[in-house]
């Protein structure tokens, strides 16, 4: 009998070569430690960026709400908040050429319109104005 064949304890013939091949395949499938470390670092960078984006957007949104409060106009902040959440979710993976989150632009437009003492519908429209054009959302979705 060829040396790669042997009897196991139950008397069955097994192929030792196939066992070795399986082990080699397992070893080959395992990622090297450098690749695992690199992937973990990329995930940390992405998480840091997401956290940073969240802070930037929260600050800009608070500024908008502060402008609304200071204006003394009767803007429905619940509708503004709903529009902000929809737009933020729709634009979450988009960035401006400057690298900042895309949502900064609609917030800046809305802030300008608050300063002009425009109504709730106009502020909501400012927040949503690029969602239909630049995302998968449709007018019907909104």
């Amino acid at each position: 009998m060829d040396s790669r064949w042997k009897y196991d304890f139950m008397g069955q013939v097994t192929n030792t070569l196939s066992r070795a091949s399986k082990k080699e395949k397992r070893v080959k499938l395992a990622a090297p430690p450098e690749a695992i470390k690199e992937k973990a670092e990329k995930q940390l960078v992405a998480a840091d960026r997401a956290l940073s984006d969240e802070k930037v957007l929260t600050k800009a949104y608070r500024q908008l709400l502060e402008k609304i409060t200071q204006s003394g106009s009767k803007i429905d902040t619940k509708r503004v908040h709903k529009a902000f959440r929809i737009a933020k979710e729709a634009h979450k993976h988009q960035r401006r050429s400057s690298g900042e989150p895309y949502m900064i632009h609609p917030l800046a437009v809305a802030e300008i319109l608050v300063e002009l003492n425009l109504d709730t519908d106009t502020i909501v429209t400012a927040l949503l104005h690029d969602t239909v054009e630049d995302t998968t959302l449709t007018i019907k979705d909104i």
Side-chain angles (χ1 to χ4, degrees):
M1 184 184 284
D2 191 348
S3 65
R4 52 185 189 171
W5 295 94
K6 70 175 190 176
Y7 289 96
D8 65 10
F9 73 97
M10 297 290 288
Q12 296 179 350
V13 178
T14 59
N15 182 340
T16 58
L17 184 60
S18 66
R19 284 185 180 168
S21 297
K22 288 178 186 175
K23 286 181 181 177
E24 287 174 13
K25 286 180 183 175
R26 281 191 213 127
V27 170
K28 288 178 184 176
L29 292 176
E34 300 84 33
I36 294 170
K37 185 178 178 183
E38 187 176 307
K39 184 177 179 181
E41 286 174 0
K42 285 181 181 179
Q43 289 173 337
L44 283 174
V45 168
D48 284 346
R49 184 179 221 177
L51 186 60
S52 175
D53 288 354
E54 188 65 32
K55 286 180 181 179
V56 168
L57 292 177
T58 299
K59 182 179 178 183
Y61 180 63
R62 285 184 178 156
Q63 282 180 277
L64 173 64
L65 292 178
E66 192 175 302
K67 291 264 184 187
I68 289 171
T69 303
Q70 290 172 354
S71 73
S73 58
K74 295 181 180 182
I75 294 174
D76 183 352
T77 54
K78 286 182 182 180
R79 285 184 56 211
V80 169
H81 183 69
K82 186 175 180 181
F84 170 73
R85 282 192 336 228
I86 292 169
K88 181 180 165 192
E89 180 63 26
H91 292 296
K92 72 179 171 185
H93 296 296
Q94 293 178 316
R95 303 196 82 67
R96 296 182 54 81
S97 58
S98 64
E100 64 189 358
Y102 186 82
M103 191 58 204
I104 290 296
H105 167 66
L107 283 166
V109 172
E111 196 171 319
I112 291 167
L113 298 177
V114 168
E115 290 172 0
L116 295 172
N117 293 319
L118 296 173
D119 64 354
T120 301
D121 290 340
T122 308
I123 307 307
V124 167
T125 303
L127 291 169
L128 297 171
H129 81 272
D130 277 331
T131 54
V132 175
E133 183 179 320
D134 297 338
T135 72
T136 57
L137 284 180
T138 65
I139 292 174
K140 213 174 202 181
D141 295 331
I142 295 171

